[in-house]
Amino acid sequence: MRAIVVGAGIGGLAATLSLRRAGCEVTLVEQAPRFTEIGAGIQLAPNATRVLRRLGLLDEVAAQAGHPSRLSFRTWSDGNEICRYALGREVEDAFGAPYLQVHRADLHQVLAGAVPPGSVRLNTLVVGIEQDEESARVTTAGGECLEADLVVAADGIRSAARRWMFGADEALFSGTVAYRALVRADEVADLDLPEYALWLGPGRHFVHYWVRRGELLNVVGVVGAETARESWTARAEPEEQLRAFDGWDPRVLGVLERTGTVLRYGIHTRAPLTRWNVGRVTLLGDSAHAMVPFQAQGAAQAFVDAAVLGDCLREVDPAGVPDALGRYVRRRLAAVTKVQAGSARAGADYHLPDGPEARARDARLAAQAAENGFGPHAAAWGEDDSDEQAS
């Protein structure tokens, strides 16, 4: 079985490794001329780390990660703890894999390092995808035509493949903008910060957690906005994020005062699709289901996509590829659409104004902590990505 994967982000790399594990010969095509360090912190719930274990990469990722023992929800103005949820040994015992927090570049490097260099085509822009009953083909900007039995488009939220397959539909602005920064541990050592906290306030929330073995504090502030462009590299104006969180708990302001470069990007999503596949071509990851990050499930859902895709293509004859891709989508579509919707609801919940609704939310969070101890978003962590469930 020959496969072409378009896009070498986290989803594309995971798909490449899962397809290789299933016995496919894979060519990974990426338009960037090199793999570079980009992004900041990323959270990997057990549904993602189980896939990393299947790929033989969990130990390597875990060695570079933060290992939170708990998540603390806090009130915005005085930092009072609303509730706390277990994330350490309790999660690993319950879900069969750990909860990790890593630098996106560290995760990307581990995944990329597991792909044989001869399988990667960097600096190669795909400008078209075609297919017939027997094969699928991608055309590059350089005029090449690469042929395989299937094409997996993991080309991100601005997916060209999605447009070619299903027509134009633009990325949707979520109404929120995120400020992101990384701060060295020694610069915030005196602030008495919780190890991982989510601070909730009217129209905004603030998150921080440790990456790179506790050497760096990943900082994210999310604020309602009328418009903002989607960019991984746009810088915020000096002190813009301080103005956005004026009046918040002194520890939040203390962190923001010590940030250096702060990146500002508009959070965008894609409308849910009723299908991701056409014949021998399918979408995966953000190209299929980009979501707001308020359940920390974007990357995890791409990992599960990749695992299920590999399962569905194992021991399949090339003639059976369209049916196998149909099984992959049927196994994933309803679950991931539910996570998309849940992530959007979580963002609205976090930003409630002070008053009865916020107090009811806080009581609900505390009740969930008392009931199961794992938090409001743990339902997705038990997703079935096992080999035995392949259809």
Side-chain angles (χ1 to χ4, degrees):
M1 183 79 73
R2 297 168 301 152
I4 295 170
V5 176
V6 181
I10 288 171
L13 288 166
T16 297
L17 295 170
S18 290
L19 289 170
R20 283 177 52 82
R21 184 173 180 269
C24 296
E25 177 187 320
V26 186
T27 300
L28 176 61
V29 180
E30 166 58 43
Q31 64 177 315
R34 63 187 65 85
F35 293 137
T36 57
E37 181 165 319
I38 192 168
I42 186 170
Q43 304 199 59
L44 299 175
N47 54 342
T49 55
R50 281 199 304 274
V51 178
L52 283 170
R53 178 180 288 138
R54 288 177 58 178
L55 298 175
L57 301 176
L58 178 57
D59 289 346
E60 190 173 356
V61 173
Q64 303 181 61
H67 297 251
S69 63
R70 64 183 63 86
L71 162 61
S72 175
F73 277 81
R74 302 268 172 159
T75 55
W76 69 277
S77 57
D78 55 17
N80 284 337
E81 186 172 71
I82 299 167
C83 61
R84 64 175 61 183
Y85 297 103
L87 288 178
R89 174 56 62 181
E90 297 94 334
V91 163
E92 189 161 3
D93 290 344
F95 296 97
Y99 195 106
L100 301 178
Q101 294 167 328
V102 301
H103 194 297
R104 181 179 291 268
D106 295 339
L107 174 63
H108 194 272
Q109 184 177 34
V110 171
L111 294 170
V115 178
S119 298
V120 182
R121 296 281 303 271
L122 295 173
N123 202 28
T124 304
L125 174 64
V126 172
V127 295
I129 299 176
E130 298 178 336
Q131 61 178 310
D132 55 34
E133 290 186 359
E134 297 182 351
S135 65
R137 297 169 296 280
V138 302
T139 303
T140 73
E144 289 184 275
C145 181
L146 307 177
E147 187 176 55
D149 298 302
L150 70 145
V151 172
V152 179
D155 53 341
I157 190 171
R158 302 287 181 180
S159 171
R162 176 173 169 140
R163 184 173 65 251
W164 299 330
M165 294 167 68
F166 300 113
D169 76 311
E170 297 300 320
L172 306 173
F173 179 54
S174 69
T176 52
V177 62
Y179 297 95
R180 301 188 70 115
L182 291 165
V183 187
R184 292 199 323 269
D186 61 342
E187 295 179 331
V188 293
D190 62 320
L191 292 180
D192 190 29
L193 295 171
E195 61 172 334
Y196 171 27
L198 201 161
W199 310 66
L200 307 181
R204 61 209 66 209
H205 70 275
F206 185 79
V207 184
H208 58 76
Y209 55 84
W210 297 100
V211 299
R212 280 203 180 142
R213 303 166 298 276
E215 297 170 10
L216 296 173
L217 186 70
N218 184 71
V219 176
V220 185
V222 178
V223 179
E226 293 184 1
T227 185
R229 69 188 181 100
E230 190 246 333
S231 171
W232 283 99
T233 57
R235 295 193 178 191
E237 296 178 6
E239 299 189 351
E240 182 180 343
Q241 77 280 10
L242 271 172
R243 292 194 299 271
F245 289 89
D246 183 41
W248 278 51
D249 185 278
R251 286 168 290 182
V252 171
L253 297 178
V255 171
L256 292 174
E257 287 168 352
R258 302 173 198 201
T259 57
T261 300
V262 178
L263 302 182
R264 181 185 193 271
Y265 75 97
I267 299 173
H268 287 68
T269 67
R270 298 304 292 261
L273 292 170
T274 57
R275 60 185 298 196
W276 306 340
N277 61 307
V278 175
R280 295 176 172 273
V281 182
T282 192
L283 304 176
L284 181 144
D286 279 353
S287 66
H289 48 69
M291 64 188 68
V292 292
F294 306 141
Q295 286 186 315
Q297 274 291 304
Q301 293 299 312
F303 272 113
V304 180
D305 286 353
V308 172
L309 178 65
D311 286 349
C312 289
L313 284 161
R314 183 175 286 107
E315 299 181 0
V316 171
D317 183 271
V321 164
D323 287 342
L325 295 184
R327 290 193 296 273
Y328 151 68
V329 174
R330 286 193 298 274
R331 283 181 58 183
R332 291 294 298 136
L333 183 60
V336 79
T337 301
K338 184 177 180 180
V339 174
Q340 274 185 295
S343 295
R345 287 194 302 272
D349 210 31
Y350 293 166
H351 291 188
L352 291 172
D354 288 341
E357 287 185 289
R359 289 194 295 273
R361 174 205 60 207
D362 294 350
R364 186 172 64 253
L365 291 171
Q368 289 170 334
E371 180 180 355
N372 63 47
F374 296 125
H377 311 315
W381 302 353
E383 287 179 305
D384 189 358
D385 49 59
S386 64
D387 290 338
E388 291 76 11
Q389 291 300 316
S391 299

